[in-house]
Amino acid sequence: SFPAMRSRPATALSIAALLSCIWQLRQPQLFAAPASRSQDGQAMVLLAGVGTSGTTTPGGQRNVGRLFAEQLINMGADVACVVRTSEAQAELEAAGCRVAGIGDLADEKFALEVMSCAKPVTVFTAVGGKDSSGSRVDGVANINLFKAALAQRVKPHIIFVTSWGCGETWDYLDERSRDILGPALSAKTEAEEFLRSTDLKHMIVRPGGLLSDTEATKRGVFVTGRPDIGGAIRRQDLAEMLLWLPRRPETNGLAVTAVDRDMVRAELPLQDDD
């Protein structure tokens, strides 16, 4: 498992070094929105599935994408978000996140336009849910993003947040959860499989059940090779852990489960080398 590293005070120099190590960022350049009218420049991290404070989760909690965006902005990263509405644009810009484009990623043309204008080094996506017609977007929207990434001369690194229950972890999901979550997990799995079929460098993160507690426990871990391990994790912990995803050749293509050590559910206990 990869333990989440604890945060500590950092100088401007150490923050710059950290960003270079984790995200391989270059000196940020101005990126204007919307994408269709952007000026020359790059957004080093393009975020999709960020959401807004009042519409993201039950009770109006910020979703993982939004929390992750805030983490990156606070660290000084060059970040741009994709949003669906002008209301979301206003809220995210007020939080310090530039907007790459306003539109629906289920529209393949829009996805390509945003990606081609942003030319990001890293794409983070946690897109999910339904559109205004009630159709799930977990599959088509993410696949459109990945197709757009493939069309770039310099292809970005992809961080795709889905859910435990996708892919090979489906076999360990109970029947009740399958009945409730089946359509969403099927759509996310479709997008996972498309990503894995490409030559895009990527990691897939499958969090367990997401909790809305505001305080991180620092007990989150990434687990590999144990699809049987499920559980739960706080959104704040997951957002912080995403900053520390290893970017090494041996981690390319990995699908990892994110859970809190104290909330693991599995017949066999979690081991330190999982």
Side-chain angles (χ1 to χ4, degrees):
S1 60
F2 300 111
M5 298 180 68
R6 297 180 182 274
S7 59
R8 57 187 178 188
T11 65
L13 179 60
S14 62
I15 289 175
L18 173 64
L19 290 173
S20 176
C21 174
I22 300 298
W23 293 107
Q24 302 175 0
L25 299 184
R26 298 189 293 274
Q27 184 67 29
Q29 302 173 19
L30 180 64
F31 180 69
S36 60
R37 296 193 297 274
S38 67
Q39 304 300 316
D40 289 340
Q42 292 183 313
M44 298 297 102
V45 185
L46 182 66
L47 303 176
V50 175
T52 55
S53 61
T55 60
T56 52
T57 65
Q61 299 290 327
R62 292 168 296 174
N63 69 2
V64 170
R66 172 64 180 272
L67 291 168
F68 184 50
E70 292 172 0
Q71 295 279 343
L72 287 171
I73 292 166
N74 290 339
M75 293 174 69
D78 184 25
V79 179
C81 303
V82 183
V83 299
R84 293 184 184 180
T85 66
S86 56
E87 290 79 11
Q89 176 190 22
E91 181 173 327
L92 289 166
E93 286 181 341
C97 184
R98 292 192 305 283
V99 172
I102 306 171
D104 188 352
L105 289 169
D107 179 348
E108 189 171 348
K109 181 179 178 181
F110 171 72
L112 179 59
E113 180 183 61
V114 169
M115 190 74 66
S116 298
C117 287
K119 300 180 178 65
V121 171
T122 299
V123 173
F124 166 93
T125 176
V127 173
K130 299 178 180 180
D131 61 19
S132 57
S133 68
S135 299
R136 296 218 65 89
V137 299
D138 314 62
V140 64
N142 287 301
I143 289 172
N144 285 344
L145 269 178
F146 304 151
K147 287 180 177 177
L150 285 167
Q152 305 309 302
R153 184 177 63 83
V154 178
K155 297 178 177 60
H157 189 107
I158 308 294
I159 303 298
F160 186 23
V161 176
T162 60
S163 178
W164 190 81
C166 290
E168 63 275 17
T169 64
W170 170 264
D171 293 339
Y172 301 93
L173 202 63
D174 62 76
E175 288 299 326
R176 181 173 181 274
S177 297
R178 289 183 181 185
D179 290 342
I180 297 171
L181 302 175
L185 296 175
S186 176
K188 293 178 190 293
T189 296
E190 180 186 6
E192 283 190 3
E193 291 175 348
F194 179 87
L195 178 60
R196 285 173 146 174
S197 73
T198 73
D199 63 353
L200 292 169
K201 293 182 179 179
H202 70 273
M203 284 189 71
I204 296 170
V205 179
R206 299 168 175 159
L210 291 169
L211 305 177
S212 295
D213 306 59
T214 55
E215 294 297 324
T217 66
K218 310 296 185 183
R219 294 284 291 166
V221 290
F222 290 125
V223 182
T224 62
R226 289 286 306 274
D228 59 307
I229 289 181
I233 188 169
R234 288 167 175 80
R235 288 182 170 85
Q236 186 66 50
D237 273 312
L238 178 58
E240 293 181 7
M241 290 165 62
L242 290 170
L243 295 171
W244 303 97
L245 281 177
R247 293 274 297 269
R248 301 188 296 268
E250 62 267 28
T251 63
N252 178 43
L254 276 183
V256 299
T257 297
V259 290
D260 188 300
R261 276 186 175 274
D262 300 324
M263 291 183 278
V264 167
R265 292 194 303 270
E267 291 186 10
L268 299 175
L270 177 65
Q271 304 295 326
D272 288 340
D273 58 351
D274 287 333

